[in-house]
Structures are given as structure tokens and as C-alpha cells.
């Protein structure tokens, strides 16, 4: 049996036999044994040591953003819907740079405003419709370091460990040789830097200075692009932590302003434990620096994201719940690496649960346990912990994001261009069309586990790219398009998420709503005055049942709406319970009172050219809904899910454009969707979460 070398790349696993690596890259494996063992030791240290570098509490005071010549509309007290992305990587992320990305933070902000930028695949990418807000959130760990190694004019590039990375993006051809080389860049750079800091050949202070300079450039790019009233930017970064078992605990940290900020982000170098991040956020908040963290890819956490215990294994208590809720009011429910709403194994009676499921732990091919990994299960667990008196640590609102590593969010099924630069820049590498003779032959010889046979044809399988999706977007309801207004909407959880389209959704609850108000032109004002909005808690009012207002408007550039649903979760006899209610149907259809389902609106998709039914669906759906199973003494959560009519999935579009038959093991179509943040019903009349 041939000995294989496994190289993990982001969410790709590039595997070549020892002979294959020599063929593609040159060199003898025996010459690299010493380096291999040093790197293995450094990698083990990196993954198992809680604190590699002590955090700094240094603060930098910056000048207030100078704004001139901008038109700023008057604030809307009924609030506007704004769409954005709070999870974007550029060349300052070590993995993005290894993937061939050369987009700067400034480039990313140009893209968000509608300009075209260069993709590592050699073509330009551009949004069909600009976004309203954007945050570059490069990895805090190794921030800017690989760029310094690549730039041969810097002092850092003179280190021996930097030499393999000289001019890594001078050319990016995306071929197998190039991908093999870049795979090793990704893995080796982590170990080389950590190993250098361990043996003293690399100064920890120099690492900090380089990362701080990249952080300051990132902040400056956000300030330069900020146009209050028109386009909002935030300073932010990613805290990229995982357990030794490769269970993802990643978070994006978003700052409200830029006038006063830490000189360095708190990163994986400072702690594996997210509780260390929250301590740091509390400490800098006391110094006047407001921020919030947004966990993402809980689907790849193998249950570690929404546990019943803290990091040390102790039962969650009020103090933990208060600190987590204070620092993490939101969760990212959907992105390119899968949707984390729920899983068929967790919600067997939800016909729409099997949506863009990514089954692996982040950065691996190891399966991720659904329990404790999906957002709806987290909401259930929050109710269970609250029952024990520990408060509710999982009382979060929802946002979506892209997690792009090219600076450019890929949000359309029609023109999906992937996430990780040269590694998924075309249909063949994404696995949506059969492999060419050359790629198929080389991979079958060197790494047969990276080729799968479907319908009698070979397809490339770079660690599950086929499961990825053209998702997602964060939506907020805010008075105006400014940092202060949008951040405050994030903080109060008046947020929603979409799988990539611009669906708008509102959700209110109260006791005084009437059906007659549904068509009142002042409906929104009435709802704000007489109810609570998504993200809030409705206190019990004796035994009076609440009324819920659900409203959705379609994206005019995509498919029409098919239905609006309300998902309810509660505890009964110590067990999680949930129901999915259709509450509004398109095309004049009505909900069946027994099944709680809308009839089929007969919206269809052509398998020949992806054309969709033009005469089915709705541009707007709204309703006043009363829970038919309401129990006044039952703690519960409710949230809205909106479904569009079906459209072709990106993989089907890839196949049709290549004149190939779509592979039979992937969904041919999907239903794009939106999710509101939940509303909690408190039966005790008190909030079980410490605000």
C-alpha cells in the first residue's frame, strides 16, 4: 500500500501519495523528515495549548471618522431593512492568501458597494445589487503574517521559515501542481510560525507588530469606505478556535465604532477557550470599547457549540449565561459551509430540515454530531438550562454571512463562484461537473479517495465542496444606515438571515393585535407601539394567548414567496418538543387546519434551462397568527421561516452551463429562505435570561 500524505486546506483535504507529491512538487520526502517532525510537534502544541501568547490590554485612540459630502436620509422610526455581510476574509487571512487571494480590505469594500474585483480564478466578480453594510473579519491569528513572508522587501521575509512563501501569489494558475503547493503552504505556515516562536528563532514581539499593522490597515479601510446614510462598515476580525478534536468554536468579533480599539485582536494565540474571549471583551468594554461576537459554523462543532456545561465541564449557571448573552447576542445560522438551522436527525417532522447540510467538522472529513451543533437544538437546550435555574445562555438572534475568502461574497445560485479562491474557482473543482481526463487520471492514481464515481462518471471531491452553498446574508431593521443604528439593531437582535436572497421579514408579538390591523397603513407603527419585535421576550399576561404578526416581502430579483412558517419549540415532561406551522400561503391558498400545511402552489423548475414558474408565488405575505396549541404556563420560543418557490441549485446551473447532466446525488433545486430572530414567551412573567 502506498503511503499517503494528507494535507488539510480550510475545508478542503488535498491528499497525495508520497510519490505523487514528489511528482507534482519535486523533492524527496526523506529530505523533509526533520522539518516534518518539527512541524508535527508545533501543530500539536498549537492545537492543545490554551495560551501561546499572553493577550495585550493596549488600546489605541484614533481620530474620529471625517465624513463630508454624503447625503444622509432622515431616520425612519419604523425602521428600514438593511442587508449585509459580517464575515469576510481578504489577503490578510493566512488561509485566504494561501488560496491565491490578493484582494485587500479596501477591495472587499469596493465589491460590497457594487464594483467588480478580481477573483483568484482569473476572472472578475461583481454583485448584482450592492449591499448596505460589510465587515472585513480576517483571522486574528497569523493576521498579515503570510503577506509579510511573501513580500521579499520585508524584514520578516528574510527568516528561513518565510522563504518557502516568497511571492506565493505572483502567479495563480489553479492547476493540480499549484493546488498541491498551496495545500502545503496552508498547513506548513501554521506550524512554521508556531515552531519559530517556540524555539526562539521568531520573535513574538515581531509577530505582534506585523499583525497590529495589518489590523490598523483593516480599520483604516473600514473608515475610508464608511458613508453614513449610504454604506456602513465595521471593524472586525475572526476568533478562530477549535478543540483538539477539531470541533469548531469560531466567532466573528464586531466593534461598534473605530475611535477607540485594541491595538491587537484577541486571537487563538491568546486562548482556545471562548470564555477567555468574553473576559477580554468585558475588560475592554469597561474601557469604553463596545463589541459583540457572533459564533458560526456550529454545524461543524460536533456538539461543542451549544453544550450543557462550560469549558471546564461544570453545569452552566447564571453567571455563564449572563456573560455569554452579553457578548454573544447573535448566531450565524447560514453560510457557504452549510446551514445550521436544524438537521433531519434532530427535526424528523420538519420536511424542510434537510437544507444545505454540511456533515463534517470544520477543516476535516470527520463527521460532526448534530446534537448540540444546530441552532434550533441550541434554542431547545437554552430552555432546558433555564429550567434548572442556570439562565438561558442560548437566547440569540439570527444572522447569515458568506465566510468568503476572496473578499467577495458569492450569494447567487446562478453565478456561484465558491469560497476559497483557486481551490473551488470552477465547476470541475467544485465537483458539479465530471472531472476531465487529466484531473481524473492524476487523482485516481495519487489520491483515489478524492474522486467519487456518480452515474458512471468521476467527480472531484475536495472535502465536500459539493455540500457548500451560495449563502448567506445578514438583515437588520434599523432607523438609518449608520454604524450606531445597525450595531444597536444587532445588539437588540432585531435581525434576520437569508440564504443569499434579499427577502425581508418582520416578526412581532403582543396581546392587543387584531386581524383588522393587518391592512392598516400604520401597521408597523402599531406593532412597535403595542408589541415586541423579534429578539425580545413576551411576558405572560395571565392566561391570555399572544398574537403574532408575521410579514415577508420577496426579493424582486429572485423567485416569489411560497409560504411563511412559524417554528415553535418548548419543553414538555423534560423533553424537547417542536412544531412547524405554515401560517400564510401564496396564490390565495389556505392552511389545512389539521396538517398545518399549505397546499402545493405548483411552482416548478425546468430541468432543461432552470426557468421557473412565472405565475406562481407571492410578492408579499403577511398574517396575524394565534398558536392553536398555546399553553400559558409553558416557556417557548417562536421564529419565522420564509420559503421561496424552488430554483436551480448552483450545482445544477454549473452542469447546465457546461452542457452536462446534473449529478443525481445532489439536490437539483433548492428553496431559498429567510429566518427571523426568535421571540421567547416567558410563562413566569420574568425573563429567564439575565440581560
Amino acid at each position: 500500500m502506498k503511503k499517503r500524505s494528507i494535507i488539510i486546506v480550510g475545508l478542503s483535504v488535498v491528499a497525495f501519495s508520497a510519490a505523487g507529491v514528489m511528482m507534482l512538487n519535486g523533492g524527496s520526502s526523506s529530505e523533509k523528515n526533520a522539518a516534518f517532525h518539527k512541524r508535527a510537534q508545533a501543530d500539536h502544541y498549537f492545537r492543545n495549548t490554551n495560551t501561546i501568547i499572553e493577550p495585550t490590554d493596549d488600546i489605541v485612540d484614533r481620530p474620529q471618522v471625517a465624513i463630508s459630502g454624503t447625503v444622509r436620509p432622515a431616520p425612519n422610526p419604523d425602521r428600514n431593512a438593511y442587508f449585509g455581510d459580517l464575515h469576510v476574509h481578504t489577503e490578510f487571512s493566512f488561509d485566504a492568501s494561501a488560496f491565491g487571494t490578493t484582494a485587500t480590505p479596501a477591495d472587499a469594500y469596493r465589491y460590497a458597494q457594487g464594483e467588480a474585483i478580481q477573483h483568484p480564478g482569473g476572472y472578475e466578480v461583481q454583485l448584482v445589487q450592492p449591499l448596505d453594510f460589510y465587515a472585513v473579519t480576517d483571522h486574528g491569528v497569523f493576521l498579515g503574517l503570510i503577506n509579510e513572508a511573501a513580500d521579499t522587501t520585508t524584514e520578516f521575509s528574510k527568516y528561513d521559515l518565510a522563504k518557502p512563501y516568497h511571492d506565493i501569489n505572483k502567479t495563480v494558475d489553479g492547476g493540480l501542481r499549484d493546488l498541491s503547493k498551496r495545500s502545503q503552504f496552508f498547513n506548513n505556515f501554521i506550524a512554521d510560525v508556531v515552531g519559530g516562536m517556540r524555539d526562539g528563532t521568531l520573535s513574538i514581539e515581531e509577530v505582534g507588530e506585523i499583525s497590529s499593522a495589518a489590523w490598523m490597515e483593516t480599520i483604516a479601510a473600514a473608515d475610508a469606505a464608511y458613508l453614513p446614510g449610504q454604506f456602513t462598515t465595521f471593524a472586525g476580525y475572526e476568533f478562530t478556535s477549535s478543540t483538539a478534536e477539531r470541533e469548531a468554536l469560531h466567532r466573528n468579533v464586531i466593534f461598534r465604532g473605530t475611535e477607540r480599539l485594541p491595538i491587537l485582536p484577541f486571537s487563538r494565540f491568546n486562548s482556545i477557550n471562548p470564555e477567555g474571549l468574553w473576559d477580554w471583551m468585558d475588560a475592554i468594554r469597561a474601557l469604553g470599547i463596545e463589541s459583540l461576537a457572533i459564533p458560526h459554523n456550529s454545524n461543524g462543532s460536533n456538539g461543542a457549540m451549544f453544550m450543557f456545561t462550560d469549558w471546564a465541564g461544570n453545569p452552566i449557571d447564571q453567571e455563564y449565561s449572563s456573560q455569554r448573552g452579553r457578548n454573544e447576542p447573535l448566531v450565524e445560522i447560514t453560510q457557504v459551509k452549510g446551514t445550521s438551522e436544524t438537521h433531519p436527525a434532530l427535526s424528523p417532522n420538519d420536511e424542510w430540515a434537510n437544507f444545505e447540510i454540511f456533515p463534517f467538522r470544520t477543516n476535516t472529513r470527520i463527521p460532526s454530531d448534530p446534537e448540540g451543533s444546530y441552532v434550533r437544538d441550541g434554542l431547545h437546550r437554552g430552555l432546558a438550562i433555564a429550567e434548572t435555574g442556570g439562565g438561558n445562555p442560548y437566547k440569540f438572534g439570527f444572522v447569515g454571512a458568506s465566510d468568503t475568502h476572496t473578499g467577495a461574497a458569492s450569494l447567487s445560485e446562478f453565478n456561484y463562484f465558491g469560497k476559497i479562491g483557486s481551490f473551488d474557482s470552477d465547476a470541475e473543482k467544485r465537483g458539479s461537473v465530471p472531472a476531465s481526463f487529466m484531473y481524473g487520471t492524476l487523482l485516481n492514481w495519487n489520491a483515489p479517495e478524492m474522486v467519487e464515481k456518480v452515474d458512471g462518471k468521476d467527480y472531484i471531491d475536495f472535502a465536500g465542496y459539493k455540500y457548500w452553498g451560495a449563502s448567506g446574508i445578514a438583515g437588520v431593521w434599523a432607523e438609518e444606515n449608520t454604524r450606531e443604528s445597525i450595531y444597536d439593531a444587532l445588539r437588540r437582535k432585531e435581525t434576520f438571515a437569508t440564504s443569499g436572497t434579499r427577502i425581508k421579514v418582520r416578526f412581532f408579538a403582543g396581546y392587543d393585535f387584531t386581524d383588522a390591523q393587518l391592512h392598516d397603513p400604520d401597521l408597523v407603527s402599531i406593532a412597535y407601539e403595542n408589541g415586541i419585535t423579534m429578539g425580545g421576550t413576551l411576558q405572560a399576561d395571565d392566561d391570555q394567548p399572544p398574537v403574532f404578526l408575521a410579514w415577508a416581502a420577496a426579493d424582486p430579483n429572485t423567485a416569489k414567496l411560497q409560504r411563511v412558517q412559524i417554528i415553535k419549540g418548548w419543553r414538555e415532561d423534560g423533553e424537547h418538543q417542536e412544531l412547524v406551522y405554515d401560517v400564510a400561503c401564496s396564490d390565495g391558498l389556505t392552511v389545512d387546519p389539521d396538517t398545518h400545511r399549505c397546499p402545493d402552489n405548483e411552482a416548478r423548475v425546468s430541468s432543461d434551462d432552470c426557468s421557473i414558474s412565472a405565475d406562481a408565488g407571492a410578492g408579499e405575505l403577511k398574517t396575524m397568527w394565534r398558536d392553536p396549541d398555546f399553553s400559558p404556563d409553558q416557556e417557548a420560543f417562536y421564529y419565522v421561516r420564509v420559503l421561496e418557490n424552488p430554483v436551480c441549485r448552483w450545482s445544477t446551473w454549473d452542469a447546465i452551463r457546461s452542457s452536462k447532466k446534473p449529478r443525481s446525488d445532489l439536490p437539483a433545486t433548492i428553496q431559498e429562505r429567510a429566518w427571523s430572530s426568535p421571540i421567547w414567551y416567558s410563562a413566569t412573567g420574568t425573563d429567564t435570561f439575565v440581560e
Side-chain angles (χ1 to χ4, degrees):
M1 178 181 293
K2 293 181 180 179
K3 180 180 178 182
R4 283 187 159 47
S5 172
I6 308 295
I7 304 163
I8 299 174
V9 179
L11 281 185
S12 65
V13 177
V14 180
F16 297 98
S17 67
V21 169
M22 289 174 60
M23 179 194 74
L24 292 172
N25 288 311
S28 167
S29 59
S30 62
E31 296 173 356
K32 302 175 182 177
N33 277 343
F36 174 82
H37 288 299
K38 180 181 178 180
R39 285 168 172 161
Q41 291 172 348
D43 182 73
H44 182 269
Y45 178 79
F46 178 70
R47 296 190 182 281
N48 291 272
T49 303
N50 185 52
T51 300
I52 295 171
I53 300 175
E54 289 296 329
T56 177
D57 57 1
D58 291 344
I59 302 300
V60 58
D61 288 306
R62 307 177 68 259
Q64 192 166 11
V65 180
I67 305 297
S68 62
T70 61
V71 178
R72 186 164 174 172
N76 175 12
D78 286 342
R79 297 171 183 162
N80 306 308
Y82 297 113
F83 295 95
D85 190 352
L86 300 173
H87 191 172
V88 174
H89 294 272
T90 71
E91 67 169 1
F92 282 160
S93 287
F94 71 99
D95 52 352
S97 194
F99 301 150
T101 292
T102 57
T104 65
D107 292 330
Y109 289 125
R110 290 194 299 108
Y111 174 82
Q113 294 177 81
E115 294 187 39
I117 67 171
Q118 190 73 11
H119 187 276
Y123 48 83
E124 287 191 333
V125 292
Q126 187 173 18
L127 285 170
V128 173
Q129 180 181 355
L131 291 165
D132 300 307
F133 61 94
Y134 217 55
V136 170
T137 55
D138 283 310
H139 297 291
V141 67
F142 306 108
L143 182 65
L145 287 176
I146 200 167
N147 314 91
E148 289 287 299
D151 182 354
T152 56
T153 67
T154 67
E155 289 300 313
F156 187 73
S157 69
K158 297 175 183 178
Y159 284 102
D160 287 340
L161 68 85
K163 291 177 181 177
Y165 312 104
H166 285 178
D167 296 320
I168 61 171
N169 288 327
K170 188 174 183 179
T171 60
V172 183
D173 65 40
L176 277 184
R177 181 186 292 274
D178 187 52
L179 295 184
S180 174
K181 174 185 70 175
R182 291 179 180 282
S183 299
Q184 294 177 72
F185 285 163
F186 179 92
N187 245 27
N188 293 347
F189 187 74
I190 296 173
D192 289 345
V193 171
V194 173
M197 290 191 296
R198 289 189 73 200
D199 65 17
T201 58
L202 178 60
S203 162
I204 290 176
E205 290 74 19
E206 186 172 3
V207 169
E209 290 170 1
I210 292 170
S211 290
S212 180
W215 174 231
M216 292 301 118
E217 184 174 335
T218 301
I219 299 165
D223 282 349
Y226 181 34
L227 298 170
Q230 298 179 26
F231 179 69
T232 290
T233 62
F234 291 100
Y237 75 95
E238 180 174 323
F239 171 79
T240 314
S241 172
S242 299
T243 70
E245 290 74 33
R246 306 296 181 91
E247 299 160 329
L249 295 170
H250 302 184
R251 276 107 167 131
N252 290 318
V253 179
I254 304 297
F255 294 91
R256 190 174 191 266
T258 58
E259 291 80 15
R260 185 172 173 82
L261 287 171
I263 200 165
L264 264 178
F266 185 98
S267 77
R268 161 62 197 93
F269 277 152
N270 308 125
S271 180
I272 297 177
N273 181 359
E275 295 168 29
L277 172 66
W278 307 335
D279 288 342
W280 177 78
M281 292 171 69
D282 281 342
I284 64 172
R285 187 174 291 114
L287 298 175
I289 302 173
E290 170 58 26
S291 65
L292 57 82
I294 307 173
H296 64 267
N297 282 125
S298 61
N299 56 349
S301 72
N302 194 44
M305 190 65 80
F306 308 123
M307 297 178 66
F308 288 111
T309 60
D310 64 14
W311 184 264
N314 301 310
I316 287 175
D317 57 18
Q318 279 277 358
E319 183 179 358
Y320 176 99
S321 293
S322 179
Q323 184 181 42
R324 183 159 184 169
R326 181 170 60 250
N327 290 296
E328 295 188 355
L330 301 169
V331 68
E332 190 180 286
I333 197 172
T334 186
Q335 64 140 270
V336 64
K337 298 195 299 292
T339 292
S340 299
E341 181 200 3
T342 192
H343 188 284
L346 301 171
S347 302
N349 297 320
D350 183 348
E351 303 96 309
W352 295 272
N354 191 22
F355 178 73
E356 300 291 70
I357 298 294
F358 185 81
F360 304 128
R361 302 181 200 179
T362 304
N363 297 358
T364 77
R365 288 182 182 266
I366 307 170
S368 178
D369 186 352
E371 292 190 5
S373 299
Y374 284 80
V375 168
R376 193 187 300 175
D377 191 43
L379 294 173
H380 281 298
R381 288 175 173 227
L383 294 181
I385 294 168
E387 274 189 358
T388 69
N392 187 341
Y394 306 131
K395 202 165 186 181
F396 36 61
F398 300 161
V399 292
S402 70
D403 193 12
T404 178
H405 278 56
T406 65
S410 183
L411 303 173
S412 169
E413 303 296 325
F414 173 73
N415 66 349
Y416 175 71
F417 50 81
K419 160 190 160 73
I420 57 171
S422 59
F423 280 84
D424 62 348
S425 59
D426 61 50
E428 183 182 9
K429 286 183 277 191
R430 292 192 288 266
S432 49
V433 301
S436 64
F437 175 78
M438 181 185 72
Y439 272 30
T441 301
L442 281 172
L443 288 173
N444 269 310
W445 181 50
N446 286 285
E449 66 275 19
M450 296 185 66
V451 181
E452 54 184 350
K453 194 170 288 290
V454 180
D455 306 322
K457 300 181 183 298
D458 287 340
Y459 287 83
I460 294 175
D461 180 21
F462 283 169
Y465 295 175
K466 63 184 179 184
Y467 297 116
W468 290 7
S471 193
I473 291 179
V476 303
W477 289 100
E479 292 83 358
E480 57 180 343
N481 191 348
T482 62
R483 284 176 176 168
E484 297 80 8
S485 188
I486 291 177
Y487 185 92
D488 291 349
L490 298 172
R491 171 59 71 183
R492 68 175 176 266
K493 299 177 280 195
E494 195 175 355
T495 61
F496 58 99
T498 87
S499 58
T501 62
R502 309 291 176 94
I503 302 170
K504 297 177 183 177
V505 57
R506 287 194 191 258
F507 190 35
F508 294 91
Y511 295 105
D512 299 321
F513 297 153
T514 66
D515 292 338
Q517 293 170 333
L518 195 61
H519 303 289
D520 192 311
D522 296 322
L523 174 63
V524 174
S525 298
I526 292 170
Y528 276 119
E529 184 177 351
N530 297 325
I532 58 125
T533 188
M534 51 185 155
T537 298
L538 184 67
Q539 308 296 341
D541 186 0
D542 295 327
D543 292 341
Q544 188 175 358
V547 181
F548 295 90
L549 167 58
W551 172 88
D555 181 341
N557 298 312
T558 59
K560 293 181 179 179
L561 304 182
Q562 184 189 76
R563 68 188 73 208
V564 174
Q565 302 174 315
I566 290 181
I567 286 84
K568 175 189 178 183
W570 73 98
R571 299 267 298 166
E572 190 170 317
D573 298 327
E575 298 292 332
H576 301 336
Q577 304 293 334
E578 63 183 43
L579 278 173
V580 178
Y581 301 90
D582 287 1
V583 298
C585 312
S586 67
D587 303 287
L589 301 170
T590 57
V591 177
D592 185 309
D594 296 321
T595 64
H596 305 299
R597 293 291 179 268
C598 295
D600 182 6
N601 73 344
E602 300 185 356
R604 299 292 182 264
V605 183
S606 169
S607 59
D608 296 324
D609 60 6
C610 287
S611 58
I612 60 177
S613 302
D615 57 351
E620 180 187 54
L621 291 171
K622 59 183 176 180
T623 188
M624 294 288 189
W625 179 77
R626 296 159 182 81
D627 180 359
D629 304 297
F630 175 71
S631 176
D633 58 355
Q634 203 168 65
E635 302 282 326
F637 63 80
Y638 300 83
Y639 66 88
V640 168
R641 183 171 65 191
V642 184
L643 300 179
E644 286 186 359
N645 285 338
V647 296
C648 276
R649 190 175 185 265
W650 64 263
S651 49
T652 303
W653 274 114
D654 273 359
I656 287 176
R657 270 195 292 266
S658 302
S659 300
K660 304 294 184 183
K661 185 178 180 180
R663 50 190 289 179
S664 62
D665 63 330
L666 295 180
T669 64
I670 66 167
Q671 284 185 270
E672 300 273 22
R673 57 198 63 192
W675 302 263
S676 78
S677 290
I679 289 174
W680 287 263
Y681 170 77
S682 177
T684 61
T686 58
D687 196 340
T688 53
F689 166 68
V690 180
E691 294 290 356

